[in-house]
PDB file of all heavy atoms in Angstrom:
ATOM      1  N   LEU O 144     117.857  88.729 115.478  1.00 84.00           N
ATOM      2  CA  LEU O 144     117.386  89.205 116.797  1.00 84.00           C
ATOM      3  C   LEU O 144     118.400  88.632 117.837  1.00 84.00           C
ATOM      4  O   LEU O 144     118.729  87.431 117.898  1.00 84.00           O
ATOM      5  CB  LEU O 144     115.997  88.638 117.250  1.00 84.00           C
ATOM      6  CG  LEU O 144     114.893  89.115 116.276  1.00 84.00           C
ATOM      7  CD1 LEU O 144     113.507  88.506 116.705  1.00 84.00           C
ATOM      8  CD2 LEU O 144     114.764  90.630 116.271  1.00 84.00           C
ATOM      9  N   THR O 145     118.951  89.559 118.653  1.00 89.00           N
ATOM     10  CA  THR O 145     119.982  89.161 119.617  1.00 89.00           C
ATOM     11  C   THR O 145     119.587  89.697 120.945  1.00 89.00           C
ATOM     12  O   THR O 145     118.682  90.595 121.108  1.00 89.00           O
ATOM     13  CB  THR O 145     121.338  89.673 119.314  1.00 89.00           C
ATOM     14  OG1 THR O 145     121.315  91.201 119.415  1.00 89.00           O
ATOM     15  CG2 THR O 145     121.851  89.297 117.904  1.00 89.00           C
ATOM     16  N   ASN O 146     120.084  89.144 122.029  1.00 93.00           N
ATOM     17  CA  ASN O 146     119.784  89.616 123.379  1.00 93.00           C
ATOM     18  C   ASN O 146     120.194  91.152 123.517  1.00 93.00           C
ATOM     19  O   ASN O 146     119.478  91.852 124.139  1.00 93.00           O
ATOM     20  CB  ASN O 146     120.557  88.749 124.393  1.00 93.00           C
ATOM     21  CG  ASN O 146     120.045  87.383 124.511  1.00 93.00           C
ATOM     22  OD1 ASN O 146     118.916  87.056 124.137  1.00 93.00           O
ATOM     23  ND2 ASN O 146     120.801  86.486 124.927  1.00 93.00           N
ATOM     24  N   SER O 147     121.228  91.489 122.878  1.00 94.00           N
ATOM     25  CA  SER O 147     121.687  92.966 123.054  1.00 94.00           C
ATOM     26  C   SER O 147     120.658  93.862 122.350  1.00 94.00           C
ATOM     27  O   SER O 147     120.365  94.977 122.864  1.00 94.00           O
ATOM     28  CB  SER O 147     123.056  93.159 122.530  1.00 94.00           C
ATOM     29  OG  SER O 147     123.189  92.891 121.071  1.00 94.00           O
ATOM     30  N   LEU O 148     120.097  93.485 121.240  1.00 92.00           N
ATOM     31  CA  LEU O 148     119.080  94.261 120.547  1.00 92.00           C
ATOM     32  C   LEU O 148     117.821  94.332 121.458  1.00 92.00           C
ATOM     33  O   LEU O 148     117.209  95.399 121.592  1.00 92.00           O
ATOM     34  CB  LEU O 148     118.719  93.616 119.188  1.00 92.00           C
ATOM     35  CG  LEU O 148     117.590  94.319 118.370  1.00 92.00           C
ATOM     36  CD1 LEU O 148     118.005  95.756 118.048  1.00 92.00           C
ATOM     37  CD2 LEU O 148     117.330  93.533 117.040  1.00 92.00           C
ATOM     38  N   LEU O 149     117.427  93.130 121.944  1.00 94.00           N
ATOM     39  CA  LEU O 149     116.194  93.092 122.795  1.00 94.00           C
ATOM     40  C   LEU O 149     116.467  94.053 124.058  1.00 94.00           C
ATOM     41  O   LEU O 149     115.470  94.578 124.524  1.00 94.00           O
ATOM     42  CB  LEU O 149     115.937  91.603 123.113  1.00 94.00           C
ATOM     43  CG  LEU O 149     115.507  90.796 121.979  1.00 94.00           C
ATOM     44  CD1 LEU O 149     115.348  89.364 122.513  1.00 94.00           C
ATOM     45  CD2 LEU O 149     114.304  91.221 121.329  1.00 94.00           C
ATOM     46  N   ASP O 150     117.734  94.025 124.565  1.00 96.00           N
ATOM     47  CA  ASP O 150     117.961  94.887 125.778  1.00 96.00           C
ATOM     48  C   ASP O 150     117.753  96.367 125.374  1.00 96.00           C
ATOM     49  O   ASP O 150     117.147  97.098 126.168  1.00 96.00           O
ATOM     50  CB  ASP O 150     119.373  94.718 126.149  1.00 96.00           C
ATOM     51  CG  ASP O 150     119.640  93.382 126.933  1.00 96.00           C
ATOM     52  OD1 ASP O 150     118.652  92.739 127.379  1.00 96.00           O
ATOM     53  OD2 ASP O 150     120.766  92.977 127.019  1.00 96.00           O
ATOM     54  N   VAL O 151     118.192  96.749 124.189  1.00 96.00           N
ATOM     55  CA  VAL O 151     118.030  98.194 123.810  1.00 96.00           C
ATOM     56  C   VAL O 151     116.502  98.532 123.570  1.00 96.00           C
ATOM     57  O   VAL O 151     116.020  99.526 124.043  1.00 96.00           O
ATOM     58  CB  VAL O 151     118.793  98.402 122.429  1.00 96.00           C
ATOM     59  CG1 VAL O 151     118.441  99.801 121.828  1.00 96.00           C
ATOM     60  CG2 VAL O 151     120.446  98.332 122.700  1.00 96.00           C
ATOM     61  N   ILE O 152     115.824  97.541 122.972  1.00 96.00           N
ATOM     62  CA  ILE O 152     114.370  97.777 122.771  1.00 96.00           C
ATOM     63  C   ILE O 152     113.616  97.881 124.123  1.00 96.00           C
ATOM     64  O   ILE O 152     112.808  98.715 124.362  1.00 96.00           O
ATOM     65  CB  ILE O 152     113.820  96.641 121.908  1.00 96.00           C
ATOM     66  CG1 ILE O 152     114.423  96.710 120.525  1.00 96.00           C
ATOM     67  CG2 ILE O 152     112.314  96.684 121.883  1.00 96.00           C
ATOM     68  CD1 ILE O 152     114.035  95.511 119.571  1.00 96.00           C
ATOM     69  N   SER O 153     114.071  97.077 125.085  1.00 96.00           N
ATOM     70  CA  SER O 153     113.421  97.065 126.375  1.00 96.00           C
ATOM     71  C   SER O 153     113.599  98.453 127.108  1.00 96.00           C
ATOM     72  O   SER O 153     112.899  98.681 128.081  1.00 96.00           O
ATOM     73  CB  SER O 153     113.878  95.925 127.232  1.00 96.00           C
ATOM     74  OG  SER O 153     115.206  96.147 127.629  1.00 96.00           O
ATOM     75  N   GLU O 154     114.591  99.136 126.664  1.00 97.00           N
ATOM     76  CA  GLU O 154     114.852 100.518 127.284  1.00 97.00           C
ATOM     77  C   GLU O 154     113.999 101.680 126.718  1.00 97.00           C
ATOM     78  O   GLU O 154     114.151 102.837 127.138  1.00 97.00           O
ATOM     79  CB  GLU O 154     116.303 100.876 127.219  1.00 97.00           C
ATOM     80  CG  GLU O 154     117.170  99.894 128.022  1.00 97.00           C
ATOM     81  CD  GLU O 154     118.696 100.047 127.790  1.00 97.00           C
ATOM     82  OE1 GLU O 154     119.057 101.069 127.083  1.00 97.00           O
ATOM     83  OE2 GLU O 154     119.499  99.296 128.247  1.00 97.00           O
ATOM     84  N   LEU O 155     113.077 101.343 125.848  1.00 97.00           N
ATOM     85  CA  LEU O 155     112.256 102.368 125.228  1.00 97.00           C
ATOM     86  C   LEU O 155     110.991 102.597 126.118  1.00 97.00           C
ATOM     87  O   LEU O 155     110.072 101.719 126.272  1.00 97.00           O
ATOM     88  CB  LEU O 155     111.774 101.987 123.858  1.00 97.00           C
ATOM     89  CG  LEU O 155     112.908 101.878 122.765  1.00 97.00           C
ATOM     90  CD1 LEU O 155     112.302 101.246 121.470  1.00 97.00           C
ATOM     91  CD2 LEU O 155     113.547 103.218 122.452  1.00 97.00           C
TER      92      LEU O 155
END
Side-chain angles (χ1 to χ4, degrees):
L144 301 177
T145 64
N146 290 336
S147 62
L148 176 63
L149 296 174
D150 288 343
V151 169
I152 293 170
S153 70
E154 294 173 8
L155 294 172

